[in-house]
Amino acid sequence: MSAPNAPQKPGLIGWLDYRLPIFGFMNKELRQYPTPKNLSYAWNFGSLAGIILLIMILSGLFLAMNYTPSTDKAFDSVERIMRDVNFGWLLRYIHANGASAFFVVVYLHMARGLYYGSYKSPRELLWIIGVAILLLMMATAFMGYVLPWGQMSYWGATVITNLFSAIPVVGDDIVTWLWGGFSVDNPTLNRFFVLHYLLPFVILGVAFLHMIALHTHGSNNPTGLDAKKEDKIPFHPYYTIKDLFGLGVFLVLFALFVFYVPNYLGHPDNYTPANPLVTPAHIVPEWYFLPFYAILRAVPDKLGGVMLMFGSIALLAALPWLDRHPVRSGRYRPLFKKFFWLFVVNALALGWAGGKPAEGHYLLIGRLCTAYYFIHMLVVLPLLSKFEKPSPLPTSIAAAS
Amino acid sequence: MTTKTPNSSNSDAALAGGHEATTASRRDFLTMAAGGMCALGAGVALVPFVDSMNPAADTLAAASIEVDISKVQPGQGMTVSWRGKPVFIRRRTPEEIAEAEKASLADLKDPQADKDRVQKPEWLVLIGICTHLGCVPLGTKATETRGEYQGWFCPCHGSAYDTSGRIRQGPAPTNLEVPPYNFVSDTVIKIG
Ligand code: HEM
Ligand code: FES
C-alpha cells in the first residue's frame, strides 16, 4: 500500500489508487510479497484451497438458483438439477466432488504444517485460525450434505445433531433448538440451507485473517529457518507460476472425478429419498469425517465419545504448546520425523476403521488408533520437545541448498 | 473503589498530578458500568433471535394420533409416525412378557421394572428412536434382527434393547422412551 500522502501516480490506476489503495495493496501482497526461495510443492495447497473455495461458492450459487429447501421438494429439486437444468449435472458434480477435493487439499496443507513445524512461534495464531477454518468447513460440508434430503442426508443430520444431546442437563433442549422441532424436519432443512449459504462467506473472511497473519511474518520454509532478506524472492512471477502449474495438475485430477467417477465418493443410499421411519443398515459419514467418526465410536459411552471427538480437534489448536521443540522443521528432527509418519498412517487407519461397522476387529483397531492419536499429541510430542537431539542445522537457507 | 482525595475535579492538573489514579478509577467505574449495560442489552436483544429457532407454535401443536391395533397378532408389531418420530407398537407373546418381567433390576443400565413401562402387559408402546444418537432400531418387523435380548437392535452403533425396550448392551445410555398414550378402546390407542 502506498503511503497516504504519496503523490498521485499517472493514469487511471494511479487516479484510483490515490483514492482507494486497492491496487497498491494487491501489488504489495501478491506481486512483491517476499517469499522464501526454497518452497517445495508442499506449499501449493494453501492457494489451491483458496481457489477451491471460490469454485465452491460459484457452483453453489448457481445450484441455489434451482434448489428448493423444503422437505417435500428438496430431493426432487436436486433430481431436476441433475436431469432437466442445463448443465445442472455438471454444477452438482463439481460442487459435490469439490467438497471432497477441498478436504483433500486442506488435509495435505495441514500435514505440511505439521511436518515443517509451521505452527510454531510466531505462527501460532495463523495455525489456530487454520483450525477454525477447518471447523467451519466441517460445519458447512455437513449441512450441505443434508440439502439433497436423501437417506444419508437425513440420518447423518440426525446422528450428528444428536451428538449435542450428550451434553448434561441442557443437551436435549439444545438439540430441539437446533432442529426447531422434535426431529430433523422442515425447519431444520431450511436453517441448514441458510447457514450452508452463509458459512462459506464467513470462511472467506476468516481466510483473509489467515492471510494477514501469514503476511505479517511470511511463509515458513522446508528448512524451518527464519528466511533472511537475501533468501527471499518476489511472489510474482516465481510462485504465481508454480501455483498455477499446481492448479493445472489439480484440475486434471479433479476432472477425472467429475467426468468419470462422479459418484465414487458418494453413497448410493443418498439417491433414496429421506425416510424418517427407516434407518439404512450401515450409515457412515462422508469420507472426510471418518477419522473423527472412528474416535467418536471408540468409547462405549455417549458423552465420552463426543468429548473425545471434539477433544481431538481441540488438541490440534493446542499443538504450538504441545510441541515446544526449538527446531521447527521435521527435516532436522530424526525422531520426530518417524513419529510424524506414524501419525499420518494412524490417521489413515482411523479413517479406514471409521468406515467399517463398529464391531469386532474394526472396533479394536479404531480404539488402538484413537489411543495413539492422543498419545502422540499428549505424550510423544511433549517428550520429544524435551529430549530429542536435532541433527546439525544449516546456518542459513542459502547454506542448506 | 474508595476515593481518598476530596478533589474530584477533572482538571488537567488533577489528571496530571497524584490524583490521576482516583480520577481514573471513577472513570473506570463509569466505563465498566456502561460496558456492562451494553453487554446486558445486547444479550437481551439476542433472545428473540435465538428463541425464533425453537419449535414454533404450529410445531408444538402437532396433534395426537389414534391408531387401530386390532390387526396386530401376538409376536407382531407396527410402526406409526407421531410428531415426525416413529412409534413402535408391539403385541408381546407370553414368553416375551415373562422375559421382560424376570430381568433383575440390578442387571439394567437404566433400571426400570417392566410394569412401569406398559399399561397392559400385552402391549408395549415405545418411541422408536435409539437413545444413543437417534437411529431407528431394527426389530419391529419379524424379519428384522432383534439383537441378543430379543427386543430391538440398533444398526448404527450396536445398541441392544430387551423385550421391554430397555437398554442392555451398547452405547445408548437410557431405555427407549414410552410416549404419552392411552387406550381409547381395546383396539384403538391414542398417542400424544
Ligand atoms: C465451503 C464451501 C462449500 C462446501 C464445502 C460445500 C459442500 C456441499 C456439499 C458436501 C453438498 C452436498 C452435495 C451432494 O451430495 O449433492 C452441498 C450441496 C449444496 N450446496 Fe454447498 N458447499 C459449499 C459452498 C456453497 C455455497 C457458497 C452455496 C450457495 C451459494 C452452496 C449451495 C449448495 C446447494 C444449493 C446444495 C444442494 C444441491 C446439491 O446437493 O448438490 N454451497 N454443498
Ligand atoms: S444411534 Fe443407536 S447405537 Fe448409536
Side-chain angles (χ1 to χ4, degrees), chain A residues 159 283, chain B residues 129-137 154-159 161 170-172:
Chain A
V159 168
I283 62 165
Chain B
I129 291 189
C130 181
T131 57
H132 182 226
L133 295 175
C135 291
V136 179
C154 183
C156 289
H157 318 96
S159 289
Y161 297 90

Side-chain angles (χ1 to χ4, degrees), chain A residues 53 56-57 60-61 63-64 67 92 95-96 99 102 140-141 144-145 147-148 193 196-197 200 203 288:
Chain A
L53 177 60
M56 293 309 284
I57 290 180
L61 206 62
L63 281 173
Y67 171 78
R92 174 156 183 259
H95 199 74
F102 204 0
T140 306
Y145 194 59
L147 301 185
F193 179 53
H196 183 70
Y197 205 131
I203 295 179
Y288 35 80

Side-chain angles (χ1 to χ4, degrees), chain A residues 19-20 22 77-78 97 118 158 163 176 211 243 250 296 314 330-331 375 384 386:
Chain A
R19 287 153 180 86
L20 175 72
I22 184 93
S77 77
V78 172
N97 287 284
S118 300
T158 299
L163 292 180
T176 305
M211 297 306 293
D243 281 350
F250 164 78
L296 169 76
R331 193 186 265 187
I375 290 172
L384 287 182
K386 274 214 168 109

Side-chain angles (χ1 to χ4, degrees), chain B:
Chain B
M1 210 173 292
T2 48
T3 310
K4 285 198 192 111
T5 161
N7 181 1
S8 61
S9 102
N10 213 346
S11 68
D12 283 358
L15 276 174
H19 308 300
E20 197 178 32
T22 315
T23 320
S25 73
R26 289 191 175 194
R27 283 256 171 90
D28 283 354
F29 174 74
L30 284 177
T31 312
M32 267 156 37
M37 287 312 286
C38 284
L40 192 71
V44 172
L46 265 182
V47 170
F49 294 94
V50 172
D51 197 35
S52 76
M53 287 174 70
N54 269 320
D58 61 334
T59 312
L60 288 171
S64 51
I65 54 166
E66 293 200 352
V67 188
D68 175 8
I69 54 173
S70 60
K71 300 215 170 56
V72 184
Q73 299 300 316
Q76 288 186 342
M78 67 189 288
T79 305
V80 294
S81 173
W82 172 68
R83 281 180 156 187
K85 298 177 178 188
V87 170
F88 296 156
I89 304 172
R90 190 189 281 190
R91 185 167 178 184
R92 300 190 291 182
T93 60
E95 300 80 61
E96 287 173 336
I97 299 173
E99 188 70 32
E101 285 173 348
K102 84 165 196 269
S104 124
L105 289 192
D107 293 343
L108 299 175
K109 191 167 174 184
D110 180 12
Q112 201 181 15
D114 184 60
K115 66 173 169 28
D116 298 331
R117 296 177 54 78
V118 290
Q119 295 181 13
K120 300 181 181 178
E122 199 178 16
W123 294 99
L124 180 62
V125 183
L126 300 168
I127 293 184
I129 291 189
C130 181
T131 57
H132 182 226
L133 295 175
C135 291
V136 179
L138 300 170
T140 296
K141 285 202 193 106
T143 49
E144 293 171 348
T145 166
R146 291 185 163 174
E148 207 168 309
Y149 292 85
Q150 290 312 305
W152 284 267
F153 177 74
C154 183
C156 289
H157 318 96
S159 289
Y161 297 90
D162 66 12
T163 54
S164 187
R166 292 171 299 201
I167 178 67
R168 303 301 289 268
Q169 200 179 55
T174 56
N175 303 332
L176 291 177
E177 203 182 317
V178 179
Y181 70 96
N182 60 285
F183 283 86
V184 179
S185 70
D186 276 351
T187 56
V188 176
I189 60 171
K190 182 166 165 244
I191 303 171

